[in-house]
Amino acid sequence: MFKYVSDVSLLSHNIIKEYITTKDIAVDATLGNGYDCDFLSNNFKKVYAFEIQKSACDKYVDKNNNVTIINESHAKIDSFVKEQINCVCYNLGYLPGGDKNITTLAKSSLESIKKSLDLLTSNGIISIAIYRGHNEGKDEENCIINFAKNLPKSKYGVMIHECINRSSTSPLLMIIEKK
Ligand SMILES: C[S@@+](CC[C@H](N)C(=O)[O-])C[C@H]1O[C@@H](n2cnc3c(N)ncnc32)[C@H](O)[C@@H]1O
């Protein structure tokens, strides 16, 4: 059993926990089954969570009373979040155990990431788990990597975690840190 080289979501949680020092406000861009949201809710004072599937929104239990659920696309993040944020967590793709046809899309994911960068505080982090084993995931990978490659290095640091001895479609984790 691997510890570090296991689950990209878990890896993102550890990076967020360790490297974000001010944990005031976080955004879960893809609520789904709520695992990332629980993590963010336990570590940040306030969380906004986006999800296009109403059933997933209705299912989420806000244990710490600090999560605002938004049944809208994360592409509209700037319409709902009007303050600076320390973290945005994207877990792209489709809902495990749900309808595989309802998936994040390259165009709206990228639109959301661009808006998130503007809302991010200095030393804030955006984590993006990309599942590239399906067609849309492959598009997201290309689109997001091409965009992130060209971010000004004076302002942003971008790092990718990828298993190089597994299938080329194994999940990938991108971390963007704002200076
Ligand atoms: C891989 S799942 C998320 C897993 C989740 N973070 C968890 O901890 O269980 C991706 C989710 O994104 C949702 N989604 C798809 N497009 C979206 C969009 N434009 N805005 C917000 N959520 C979206 C899907 O409905 C799905 O539930």
Side-chain angles (χ1 to χ4, degrees):
M1 190 71 177
F2 292 104
K3 280 191 155 192
Y4 167 73
V5 187
S6 58
D7 174 4
V8 289
S9 301
L10 189 60
L11 184 56
S12 76
H13 294 181
N14 287 327
I15 291 168
I16 289 166
K17 214 170 172 172
E18 181 70 21
Y19 293 101
I20 299 182
T21 45
T22 306
K23 294 188 180 68
D24 288 331
I25 305 176
V27 173
D28 181 353
T30 50
L31 172 69
N33 289 321
Y35 300 119
D36 296 313
C37 197
D38 281 347
F39 160 76
L40 295 171
S41 163
N42 288 332
N43 285 279
F44 287 78
K45 291 184 188 144
K46 185 171 167 185
V47 178
Y48 293 95
F50 288 83
E51 171 59 58
I52 53 168
Q53 298 193 57
K54 188 168 185 311
S55 52
C57 293
D58 291 345
K59 234 168 88 183
Y60 186 72
V61 180
D62 180 8
K63 294 121 194 142
N64 299 321
N65 235 350
N66 64 349
V67 179
T68 302
I69 302 286
I70 301 156
N71 184 198
E72 265 292 356
S73 170
H74 47 222
K76 293 190 181 166
I77 184 168
D78 56 331
S79 304
F80 293 91
V81 180
K82 298 290 182 189
E83 51 203 326
Q84 287 239 291
I85 52 188
N86 310 114
C87 174
V88 189
C89 181
Y90 290 86
N91 207 327
L92 301 178
Y94 51 80
L95 183 66
D99 184 346
K100 292 189 177 179
N101 295 310
I102 306 175
T103 179
T104 54
L105 303 171
K107 188 170 178 279
S108 40
S109 297
L110 192 60
E111 186 181 344
S112 176
I113 291 166
K114 286 179 183 171
K115 290 177 175 176
S116 294
L117 288 173
D118 289 335
L119 291 167
L120 203 63
T121 54
S122 169
N123 293 126
I125 280 180
I126 299 182
S127 76
I128 311 164
I130 304 175
Y131 299 87
R132 48 201 177 155
H134 61 118
N135 286 344
E136 196 53 49
K138 202 75 209 151
D139 271 5
E140 284 182 311
E141 178 192 11
N142 293 331
C143 218
I144 294 168
I145 289 181
N146 281 335
F147 167 73
K149 261 185 185 169
N150 293 308
L151 282 170
K153 63 177 183 221
S154 57
K155 202 165 169 190
Y156 299 101
V158 186
M159 203 172 255
I160 282 178
H161 293 70
E162 169 178 34
C163 258
I164 59 169
N165 66 342
R166 288 189 191 160
S167 149
S168 59
T169 59
S170 66
L172 173 155
L173 178 67
M174 179 185 286
I175 299 289
I176 305 177
E177 181 180 359
K178 195 171 189 174
K179 201 170 184 179

